[in-house]
Amino acid sequence: GGALGSLGEHLDATSAAAVAEQIVAAMKKTTDAAALSSLGRAFGSLVEHLDATSAAAVAEQIVAGMKKTTGWFALFSLGGALGSLGEHLDATSAAAGVEQIVAGMKKTTDWFALSSLGGALGSLGEHLDAKSAAAGAEQIVAAMKEYRDWDALYSLDGALGNLSKRLESRDVVSVLKSVVCVGKTRRAVLAAVKERAGWETDGDIWMAVEWAEEQGKFKRTAVPRWPLVP
């Protein structure tokens, strides 16, 4: 893995895509943690050399690999690899990735894998439509509810904030009203609301309430809307 990754800066897009596909193929064949870790690092060094077409083809291979495994380290490695492709994917490829990441999060309770998969969701966030973003946000909230040590799920708060930038207003409100939306998580989601609302100062929860009321998407007595996707 390391040897392949070291070639990255010397490859054009076509060659990088071929090497990346070989790495993904190797990742699908092994459950060895050290090997997967090495392959994941090698993959990351190639990503910047891929064009959109090559990235989409590699993402398809990663998604196929995620469908075939329940191993937490394989999910961790493949999820991280998929997340690293984020800026190179179009909306269709990103949506397919989200669908499989969500499925992967449902297959594991390991905090390391959940953090990696959640981080991958966040990396894909800017390329998603509201429906795909809602599917990802709902699964992150579900994982945080199930795994009470939220500090261990170190990437999920930022991922939820990134996805909140793409959610419909009513779904942002549901996330804000969730029991998990406290501390760092709340700050991340409020930062997304700040960006959407065009606030010039840092927002707080009451500014978010006022924003939601202005959007006509919030009643103070309403319960969160779950699931986010009808």
Side-chain angles (χ1 to χ4, degrees), residues 161 164-165 172-173 176 186-199 204 207-209 211-212:
S164 293
K165 297 175 184 178
V172 176
V173 171
L176 282 168
R186 177 184 287 179
R187 289 193 292 274
V189 176
L190 285 175
V193 176
K194 172 188 173 183
E195 183 175 314
R196 292 169 61 136
W199 295 334
D204 59 31
M207 288 182 71
V209 168
W211 167 78

Side-chain angles (χ1 to χ4, degrees), residues 49-137:
H49 303 284
L50 300 177
D51 58 24
T53 301
S54 299
V58 173
E60 186 176 347
Q61 289 294 314
I62 295 173
V63 167
M66 292 179 72
K67 289 179 180 179
K68 297 177 181 178
T69 185
T70 58
W72 72 266
F73 207 95
L75 288 170
F76 159 73
S77 300
L78 291 167
L82 186 59
S84 69
L85 287 170
E87 65 183 47
H88 301 280
L89 299 179
D90 59 20
T92 300
S93 297
V98 166
E99 182 179 355
Q100 199 52 48
I101 291 171
V102 167
M105 292 181 76
K106 292 178 179 178
K107 292 191 284 189
T108 184
T109 57
D110 180 84
W111 69 268
F112 206 50
L114 286 171
S115 289
S116 178
L117 292 166
L121 281 175
S123 297
L124 298 174
E126 66 182 79
H127 306 283
L128 302 178
D129 59 21
K131 183 177 180 179
S132 295

Side-chain angles (χ1 to χ4, degrees), residues 141-216:
V141 170
M144 295 179 76
K145 283 181 177 178
E146 187 70 23
Y147 200 101
R148 296 293 181 174
D149 186 3
W150 297 338
D151 285 338
L153 300 179
Y154 54 89
S155 68
L156 296 192
D157 48 5
L160 195 56
N162 284 340
L163 291 173
S164 293
K165 297 175 184 178
R166 310 296 294 179
L167 295 176
E168 293 184 3
S169 299
R170 62 177 182 171
D171 291 335
V172 176
V173 171
S174 289
V175 170
L176 282 168
K177 295 182 75 172
S178 169
V179 66
V180 306
C181 199
V182 296
K184 292 187 297 181
T185 304
R186 177 184 287 179
R187 289 193 292 274
V189 176
L190 285 175
V193 176
K194 172 188 173 183
E195 183 175 314
R196 292 169 61 136
W199 295 334
E200 295 182 1
T201 59
D202 288 339
D204 59 31
I205 191 63
W206 294 112
M207 288 182 71
V209 168
E210 291 177 6
W211 167 78
E213 289 179 330
E214 290 173 359
Q215 299 290 309

